[in-house]
Amino acid sequence: MRKVVCLLSGGLDSTVLATQLRNDGREVLALSIHYGQRHARELRAAARVAEELGIAWDEVEAGALNVLLGGSSLTDDSVAVPHGHYADETMKATVVPNRNMLLLAMAGALAVSAGADAIAYAAHAGDHAIYPDCRPAFMDAVRQVLALANWTPIGLETPFADWTKAQIVQRGVELRAPLGLTYSCYEGQATHCGRCGTCVERREAFTLAGVADPTTYA
Ligand SMILES: [Zn+2]
């Protein structure tokens, strides 16, 4: 049973990925990282998802990274969370500089120390427009780095790289992933705001997938 470290944010995509890896018979070590996000609501969701899936879960408190990641509405209180469609130009305010390189580097470190031979993250095609660190060219570069950076090469698995979020929702339903436990909203309130880019994307994905949305929106 090949062990894999799966970045688990507590959102939809990573929850479906963790479920898929587990159902494939992999030994999954889920990793959630607090990198200084304004709210940790999503990480509480990650803990519940991991418990529901019966997989191991590690949480890393790296909130001090916040000082490196200013200027994004996700990490900087002085930048407002934009409302609207997730593909809008305004959504660039939600880009956290270099975030996935930091998170994948940490996941790679855990993989080596935990005896896993791969890491997985759930970037998908819908992320490509706004987030450079979700694009296939970035993934290929990280694959090369992970192969070079350790005595034991660590693989990078990105099975949703070419998928839409609606396809991920469909897969989640097929796999009986605990979608109702997931949390996406950038605002961090108890209920999803329904207006920020990620709420809009989440709603749209359920609609396009033709699946009932278990989310309560404000
Ligand atoms: Zn929201």
Side-chain angles (χ1 to χ4, degrees):
M1 192 159 71
R2 290 172 51 231
K3 190 169 179 177
V4 58
V5 171
C6 178
L7 283 171
L8 181 67
S9 69
L12 268 181
D13 311 324
S14 61
T15 292
V16 175
L17 178 57
T19 306
Q20 176 166 295
L21 291 165
R22 183 203 64 168
N23 288 12
D24 285 347
R26 305 285 292 280
E27 182 182 354
V28 181
L29 172 52
L31 173 63
S32 303
I33 299 170
H34 181 235
Y35 56 85
Q37 302 95 310
R38 284 159 68 162
H39 65 80
R41 179 73 185 72
E42 206 179 36
L43 298 180
R44 293 208 300 278
R48 293 180 63 195
V49 165
E51 185 180 12
E52 177 70 20
L53 293 176
I55 58 177
W57 179 67
D58 271 351
E59 183 180 27
V60 169
E61 170 49 53
L65 288 174
N66 184 283
V67 297
L68 308 176
L69 304 174
S72 168
S73 64
L74 302 197
T75 51
D76 190 332
D77 285 334
S78 68
V79 183
V81 173
H83 290 161
H85 195 267
Y86 56 87
D88 291 349
E89 191 68 16
T90 54
M91 290 303 154
K92 288 196 172 155
T94 67
V95 173
V96 180
N98 235 326
R99 180 184 67 176
N100 286 348
M101 198 151 82
L102 289 165
L103 300 187
L104 291 166
M106 286 189 263
L110 178 61
V112 172
S113 62
D117 60 12
I119 61 181
Y121 87 122
H124 63 89
D127 294 328
H128 297 177
I130 297 288
Y131 305 107
D133 54 5
C134 292
R135 293 176 186 154
F138 170 79
M139 296 170 184
D140 289 341
V142 171
R143 272 187 196 97
Q144 290 186 43
V145 168
L146 286 169
L148 294 170
N150 301 290
W151 289 115
T152 309
I154 300 297
L156 176 65
E157 301 181 14
T158 56
F160 302 153
D162 300 321
W163 290 30
T164 65
K165 199 175 186 81
Q167 288 175 303
I168 295 174
V169 167
Q170 279 167 343
R171 174 57 58 88
V173 170
E174 287 163 20
L175 297 173
R176 304 173 73 89
L179 301 181
L181 296 180
T182 64
Y183 185 85
S184 305
C185 182
Y186 287 153
E187 299 276 9
Q189 303 302 315
T191 46
H192 285 72
C193 77
R195 297 182 301 170
C196 73
T198 188
C199 277
V200 169
E201 184 189 30
R202 180 183 175 101
R203 276 180 119 146
E204 187 182 275
F206 277 101
T207 303
L208 291 172
V211 170
D213 187 346
T215 316
T216 303
Y217 296 98

